């Protein structure tokens, strides 16, 4: 008899990664003096005080990004994996769980780091830049992950295409919590090991302050 696996979906920025990937790119380009302004725009989207798309667009409006900026940041980002996450993912896969990465970040930035974490083709989902030559011209707004409600839609699509015993979501932001409140995830674990979002901590059925606690919630 077929036993359907559990599907465990992970947010990427401030969850699998110890940084916010777009902020990482922008801070490398603009310098540390811009970090506070960038962080405030990110927090607005993560805490729900502005829409996620507004947060993305406001950050991208701060400077003009080139392919070379993205490529260099993507290589360096490989050194900013959240400690302990790679081992946790390995253990979940060994247990028989299906694991996916679901990110509001951008494919071109995250590709190498997610490959290092063991995500193969079709196992990671993220936003996409629009390009004019060598310059970022915007974002693909047809991608549901570019705004609020996108992660629930993606998880619902995954459920429709596969057979799973349950779908769990792990993440730090309100866009992750939406997977539970919109009915797309069966269970949600808030993660505060990198960035603690009070709007998430207050409403998450389970909240992990670090990777050790997250491991307990996921593996017992």
């Amino acid at each position: 008899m077929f036993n359907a696996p559990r599907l465990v979906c992970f947010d990427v920025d401030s969850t699998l990664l110890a940084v916010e990937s777009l902020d990482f790119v922008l801070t490398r380009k603009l310098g540390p003096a811009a970090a506070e302004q960038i962080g405030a725009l990110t927090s607005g989207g993560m805490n729900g005080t502005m829409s996620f798309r507004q947060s993305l667009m406001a950050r991208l409006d701060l400077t003009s990004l080139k392919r070379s900026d993205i490529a260099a940041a993507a290589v360096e980002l490989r050194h900013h994996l959240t400690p302990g996450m790679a081992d946790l993912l390995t253990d979940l896969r060994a247990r028989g769980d299906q694991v996916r990465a679901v990110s509001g970040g951008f494919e071109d930035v995250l590709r190498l780091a997610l490959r290092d974490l063991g995500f193969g083709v079709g196992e990671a989902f993220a936003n996409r830049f629009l390009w004019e030559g060598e310059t970022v011209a915007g974002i693909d707004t047809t991608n549901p992950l570019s705004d609020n409600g996108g992660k629930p839609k993606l998880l619902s699509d995954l459920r429709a295409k596969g057979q799973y015993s349950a779908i769990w979501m792990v993440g730090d932001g309100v866009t992750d919590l939406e997977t539970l409140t919109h009915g797309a995830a069966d269970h949600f674990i808030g993660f505060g090991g990198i960035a603690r979002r009070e709007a998430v901590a207050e409403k998450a059925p389970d909240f992990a302050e670090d990777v050790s606690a997250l491991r307990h919630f996921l593996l017992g």
Side-chain angles (χ1 to χ4, degrees), residues 104-124:
F106 290 86
E107 288 179 355
D108 292 329
V109 181
L110 299 172
R111 178 174 52 85
L112 297 178
L114 291 178
R115 186 184 68 186
D116 290 350
L117 287 168
F119 292 96
V121 176
E123 294 182 343

Side-chain angles (χ1 to χ4, degrees), residues 19-20 32 34 36 51 60 73 84 92 97 109-110 122 130 152 163 200 212:
V19 295
E20 291 285 326
E36 184 175 348
S51 79
L60 286 173
L92 287 168
D97 292 318
V109 181
L110 299 172
L130 298 179
Q163 289 184 297
V200 175
S212 177

Side-chain angles (χ1 to χ4, degrees), residues 113-210:
L114 291 178
R115 186 184 68 186
D116 290 350
L117 287 168
F119 292 96
V121 176
E123 294 182 343
F125 306 88
N127 277 305
R128 294 178 291 271
F129 290 123
L130 298 179
W131 296 90
E132 287 184 2
E134 294 297 303
T135 303
V136 173
I139 64 175
D140 178 4
T141 56
T142 66
N143 186 328
L145 293 173
S146 67
D147 208 353
N148 293 85
K151 290 185 178 182
K153 183 179 187 306
L154 182 67
L155 264 62
S156 294
D157 289 346
L158 290 175
R159 190 190 295 274
K161 294 173 182 176
Q163 289 184 297
Y164 305 108
S165 61
I167 296 180
W168 289 37
M169 181 73 199
V170 178
D172 70 295
V174 293
T175 57
D176 305 307
L177 179 63
E178 285 175 344
T179 62
L180 181 69
T181 58
H182 290 204
D186 300 302
H187 189 63
F188 173 75
I189 304 172
F191 181 67
I194 304 300
R196 181 185 174 90
R197 320 285 185 188
E198 291 303 327
V200 175
E202 291 172 2
K203 297 179 182 178
D206 289 317
F207 192 82
E209 298 285 0
D210 53 31

Side-chain angles (χ1 to χ4, degrees), residues 19-30:
V19 295
E20 291 285 326
S21 57
L22 179 57
D23 297 10
F24 183 78
V25 176
L26 292 169
T27 302
R28 289 181 85 257
K29 178 80 181 265
L30 295 171

